Amino acid sequence: MKINFNRREPVYVQVVRHFKQQIAMNMLEPGQEIPSRRELAGELKINPNTVQRAYKEMEEQGLIYTERNLPSKITRNEQVLQVVREELIMDAVDQFVTTVQSVQVPLDEIVTIIKEKYEQTNADKGEEDHD
Amino acid sequence: MKINFNRREPVYVQVVRHFKQQIAMNMLEPGQEIPSRRELAGELKINPNTVQRAYKEMEEQGLIYTERNLPSKITRNEQVLQVVREELIMDAVDQFVTTVQSVQVPLDEIVTIIKEKYEQTNADKGEEDHD
DNA sequence: TTTAGTGTATTAATCACATAATACACCGAT
DNA sequence: ATCGGTGTATTATGTGATTAATACACTAAA
C-alpha cells in the first residue's frame, strides 16, 4: 500500500479516493479485510486519526463495514461497488466535459486528443510491464 | 461577472481559473481592461486582497499586465493566450484519462459517454438561450 | 494642490487540517 | 483473568494556507 500524496488536498480525502480506485480496479474484493487504522497509519507514515477520518467517511458511504472490533472489510453490496466505479467515471466525465465545453472545442478534436493520450499512456504502462 | 465558488479550493485559485476560462472563450480581448481589485472584490463579495492574490498570480504568468496604477489589462501576447487555452484542455484531458485508465474503462465506452454528456449539456445550454 | 481611485506591501487574524495524546470498550488468544 | 490488538471518541495543540485589515505610494483628474 502506497499513496503519492499531493499537498493540495486533505490527506484523508486522498486516502478515500485511493480506496475507491482500488475498488474500481477490482484490487479489493467484497468482504476483503483492509489494514487496521493503526497499521495503515504506520505504513503511510501518517497519524492514525487521519486514517480513522478516512475510514469513517468510507463507512458512512457504505464502502466498508466493521464488525465488532475487527479490522474493517470491503462491503459485499455489489451495487455500492458498482456505484463507486460509475461515480469515478461520471465525475471525471462531468468535469472534463464542463471544461472543454467552456473552451468550445469541437467534439471531434476532443476525441482525437483523448485517444492519443489514452494510447500513449497505455503504451507507457505496457513498457513498465516488460520483464 | 459572477463566479460560483466552491469551498474546497482557495477562492483566489477559482478566480484565476475563471479568468483563464474567460480568456479561452474569447470573452476577454487582448489589451482589454479588467475590473480593479477593489471593484471586483465588491462584485464578488470577497476581500480585495484575495483578488490581489489572484491578479498577482495572473501577472506572474503573463496573463495580465499593469501600467502605473491603472487597472490591469489582458496581455496582448497572443502566444500566452493560446497557451492558456491549450493548458486548460490538456489539464482536463490528463486528469480525465488518468481517472478512466485507473478504472480500466474501454476507450469506446469513454467516447460514447462523453458524446452523450457533451450533446446533452449542449442541448441544455441551447434551451437557456431561447428568448 | 487636493482628491479619489488605483496598485502594492505588510501584518494580523482566521480557518481547516493534521497531528498528538489519551481514554474507553470490545474481543480473541494465551 | 490477562494481554494485546482492534475500533471509537474526545480534547488539545500545531501548522500552513487563506483571508482580512490596514497602511502606503502613486497618479490622473478636478
Side-chain angles (χ1 to χ4, degrees):
Chain A
M1 179 93 52
K2 184 176 179 306
I3 305 179
N4 285 331
F5 291 114
N6 66 67
R7 111 182 52 170
R8 193 94 239 183
E9 298 170 291
V11 173
Y12 77 94
V13 170
Q14 299 182 56
V15 172
V16 170
R17 182 172 53 238
H18 179 262
F19 272 93
K20 286 186 175 180
Q21 287 175 344
Q22 292 283 310
I23 289 175
M25 284 189 276
N26 293 320
M27 302 295 288
L28 294 172
E29 298 174 5
Q32 180 175 343
E33 191 175 88
I34 62 178
S36 78
R37 275 76 165 163
R38 293 174 176 88
E39 185 182 345
L40 183 58
E43 279 188 36
L44 300 179
K45 308 258 196 307
I46 60 179
N47 195 282
N49 292 321
T50 304
V51 178
Q52 163 63 5
R53 174 97 185 253
Y55 278 21
K56 189 178 181 182
E57 285 234 349
M58 290 196 285
E59 186 140 22
E60 286 171 352
Q61 294 177 27
L63 260 58
I64 63 176
Y65 64 96
T66 309
E67 287 171 334
R68 311 214 186 82
N69 55 340
L70 297 176
S72 304
K73 298 175 181 176
I74 302 296
T75 183
R76 288 194 155 85
N77 186 328
E78 292 287 353
Q79 177 167 4
V80 170
L81 297 176
Q82 184 62 23
V83 167
V84 169
R85 179 186 172 96
E86 287 170 357
E87 275 188 354
L88 270 183
I89 299 172
M90 292 317 294
D91 287 353
V93 171
D94 280 354
Q95 185 179 345
F96 179 72
V97 169
T98 298
T99 298
V100 295
Q101 276 185 341
S102 75
V103 190
Q104 299 183 340
V105 186
L107 194 51
D108 295 342
E109 285 186 30
I110 298 171
V111 173
T112 302
I113 295 173
I114 288 185
K115 281 185 178 175
E116 287 174 1
K117 195 79 189 176
Y118 193 90
E119 281 153 12
Q120 174 201 325
T121 47
N122 258 351
D124 293 346
K125 287 178 65 177
E127 302 199 357
E128 289 175 4
D129 288 345
H130 289 168
D131 55 349
Chain B
M1 182 89 52
K2 182 175 181 307
I3 304 179
N4 284 330
F5 291 114
N6 67 68
R7 110 184 50 173
R8 194 92 245 186
E9 296 171 292
V11 173
Y12 77 94
V13 170
Q14 300 181 55
V15 172
V16 171
R17 182 172 53 238
H18 179 261
F19 272 94
K20 286 186 174 178
Q21 287 175 345
Q22 293 282 309
I23 289 175
M25 283 190 276
N26 294 319
M27 302 294 289
L28 295 173
E29 297 175 7
Q32 179 176 345
E33 190 174 90
I34 61 177
S36 77
R37 276 76 166 161
R38 292 175 176 85
E39 185 181 346
L40 183 57
E43 279 188 36
L44 300 179
K45 307 257 196 308
I46 59 180
N47 193 283
N49 292 317
T50 305
V51 179
Q52 162 64 4
R53 175 93 185 254
Y55 279 21
K56 189 178 181 183
E57 286 233 349
M58 290 195 284
E59 187 139 21
E60 287 170 352
Q61 294 177 28
L63 258 60
I64 64 175
Y65 64 95
T66 308
E67 287 172 334
R68 309 213 186 83
N69 56 342
L70 296 177
S72 304
K73 298 174 181 176
I74 302 295
T75 182
R76 289 193 157 85
N77 187 326
E78 292 287 354
Q79 179 169 0
V80 170
L81 297 176
Q82 183 61 23
V83 167
V84 168
R85 179 188 172 95
E86 288 170 355
E87 276 187 354
L88 269 184
I89 299 173
M90 291 318 294
D91 287 352
V93 171
D94 279 355
Q95 184 179 345
F96 178 71
V97 170
T98 298
T99 298
V100 294
Q101 276 184 340
S102 77
V103 189
Q104 299 184 341
V105 187
L107 194 52
D108 295 343
E109 285 187 30
I110 298 171
V111 173
T112 301
I113 295 171
I114 288 184
K115 281 185 178 174
E116 287 174 2
K117 194 77 187 179
Y118 193 91
E119 282 153 11
Q120 173 201 325
T121 47
N122 257 350
D124 293 347
K125 285 178 65 176
E127 302 200 357
E128 289 174 6
D129 287 346
H130 288 168
D131 54 348

